[in-house]
Every structure is written in structure tokens, then in C-alpha cells.
């Protein structure tokens, strides 16, 4: 267990705190839950930076880091869908969560056939993550009213969903030759 892995574990441990703050019946709970989420999102960058800088990358960290990210984002999206209960948030949330399931399954399958490198993380994922995290911080920090900030959060989430779909198509396109040859061999 090294410092980057401890930071990743901290991110997972912050999820129940974030949920508790979200549901507190106080006006300040929006800012509190958004702040915990923003802190957790920042630790995602920090643990990766430290792992590279200190040369402390581990198989455990490589496994847990994306799991922590997906858990944190999925929980935030589910909470926000329940709170906002509208198409502007529900549709991009479904796209983002659905894409994570599809790409995770695709990566697992590609690893089983020895072609994992064909579905590696792309730079587009960094833009998607930035738009997604900023949208979630904004939406978590504000009540579900149609204010400038909430509309900005919706817009950023729609951008993230669009980039999410695009990146999923790129992953599927890269995997398609392997998917076709496997099907044809059966």
C-alpha cells in the first residue's frame, strides 16, 4: 500500500460521506456534498500524478482507480437523477452509466482474447471526464431549479454524454475486427 493507492482508497471511502451530505435537510448540504465530490475528483488526478511521479504504479492501483471513478460518478448521477427527475439529466446519466458498462465489458473481453491494448484509454476520455466532473460539481452544488448554474451543469453534462458516446463508438470500432473474427470462427 503506497500513497497513490491510499488516496484512491480515500476516494472510495468518501462516497458514503458524500451521500450523507447530499441527503442532509439543510441548505448548505448542496455545497458540502459538491465540495466532497470536487475533492474526490481532484484526488483522482493527484493519485495518478503521484503514481507516475514517484514510480509507484501497482496492479492494485490500476484496478482500483477506475473502479473508484466509476463508483463516484455513478453514485452522483443516480442521486442527481432522483433529485432533478427530468429528461435533461436522466438521459445523459443513462448514456454515461450505460457507456461505462459497455466499455468495461468490452475491455474485459478484449483482455481475455489478448487484445486489451486495442481498447486503451484515449485523450478524448480526459475531455469527457473534465466536462463530466465540472457538470457534476455544479449540479451537486445547486438545488434542482432552472437557474443559470443548473442549466450550465445540464449543458456540460450533455457535452460529456456526447463525448461519452463518441468515445464508446471509437472503442467499438477498434474492437470490431476482434468481435467479427470471433463470431465468424464459431
Amino acid at each position: 500500500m503506497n500513497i497513490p493507492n491510499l488516496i484512491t482508497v480515500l476516494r472510495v471511502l468518501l462516497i458514503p460521506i458524500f451521500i450523507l451530505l447530499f441527503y442532509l435537510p439543510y441548505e448548505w448540504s448542496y455545497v458540502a456534498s459538491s465540495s466532497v465530490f470536487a475533492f474526490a475528483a481532484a484526488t483522482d488526478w493527484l493519485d495518478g500524478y503521484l503514481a507516475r511521479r514517484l514510480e509507484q504504479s501497482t496492479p492494485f492501483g490500476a484496478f482500483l482507480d477506475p473502479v473508484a471513478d466509476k463508483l463516484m460518478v455513478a453514485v452522483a448521477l443516480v442521486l442527481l437523477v432522483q433529485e432533478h427527475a427530468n429528461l435533461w439529466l436522466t438521459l445523459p446519466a443513462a448514456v454515461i452509466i450505460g457507456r461505462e458498462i459497455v466499455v468495461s465489458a468490452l475491455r474485459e473481453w478484449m483482455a481475455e482474447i489478448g487484445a486489451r491494448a486495442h481498447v486503451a484509454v484515449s485523450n478524448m476520455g480526459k475531455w469527457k471526464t473534465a466536462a463530466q466532473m465540472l457538470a457534476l460539481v455544479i449540479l451537486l452544488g445547486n438545488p434542482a431549479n432552472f437557474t443559470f448554474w443548473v442549466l450550465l451543469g445540464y449543458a456540460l453534462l450533455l457535452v460529456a454524454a456526447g463525448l461519452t458516446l463518441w468515445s464508446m463508438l471509437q472503442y467499438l470500432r477498434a474492437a470490431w475486427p476482434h468481435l467479427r473474427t470471433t463470431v465468424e470462427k464459431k
Side-chain angles (χ1 to χ4, degrees):
M1 196 52 86
N2 57 34
I3 292 171
N5 287 348
L6 288 172
I7 293 171
T8 303
V9 169
L10 171 66
R11 192 160 64 250
V12 172
L13 295 175
L14 286 173
I15 293 171
I17 295 167
F18 156 65
I19 294 169
L20 176 68
L21 289 170
F22 183 84
Y23 280 115
L24 286 176
Y26 303 109
E27 191 66 29
W28 54 262
S29 71
Y30 293 108
V31 173
S33 65
S34 179
S35 297
V36 169
F37 183 87
F39 176 76
T43 66
D44 178 31
W45 172 83
L46 180 63
D47 64 18
Y49 172 78
L50 289 175
R52 288 184 299 278
R53 180 88 170 144
L54 302 174
E55 297 180 6
Q56 293 184 347
S57 296
T58 65
F60 176 71
F63 159 75
L64 189 59
D65 184 62
V67 170
D69 298 343
K70 287 168 185 35
L71 283 173
M72 188 174 70
V73 168
V75 166
L77 287 169
V78 168
L79 294 174
L80 286 167
V81 163
Q82 179 259 328
E83 178 87 6
H84 289 246
N86 65 45
L87 183 66
W88 299 108
L89 201 128
T90 304
L91 185 60
V95 166
I96 290 167
I97 292 171
R99 180 262 189 204
E100 293 304 336
I101 292 168
V102 169
V103 170
S104 293
L106 182 64
R107 285 182 181 146
E108 182 179 333
W109 181 77
M110 293 292 284
E112 282 181 24
I113 65 166
R116 172 78 164 91
H118 293 280
V119 288
V121 176
S122 70
N123 278 334
M124 184 184 305
K126 295 186 186 308
W127 288 102
K128 173 204 65 110
T129 299
Q132 179 178 274
M133 294 303 189
L134 184 55
L136 293 175
V137 167
I138 290 169
L139 291 168
L140 289 166
N142 292 280
N145 302 324
F146 284 104
T147 64
F148 167 79
W149 290 107
V150 170
L151 293 175
L152 177 62
Y154 288 168
L156 285 169
L157 199 60
L158 286 168
V159 167
L163 291 172
T164 293
L165 280 176
W166 180 255
S167 70
M168 182 179 75
L169 292 173
Q170 297 303 312
Y171 283 119
L172 289 170
R173 199 174 93 195
W176 185 249
H178 301 283
L179 292 167
R180 273 193 41 225
T181 57
T182 302
V183 169
E184 289 172 3
K185 287 179 184 177
K186 290 184 178 182

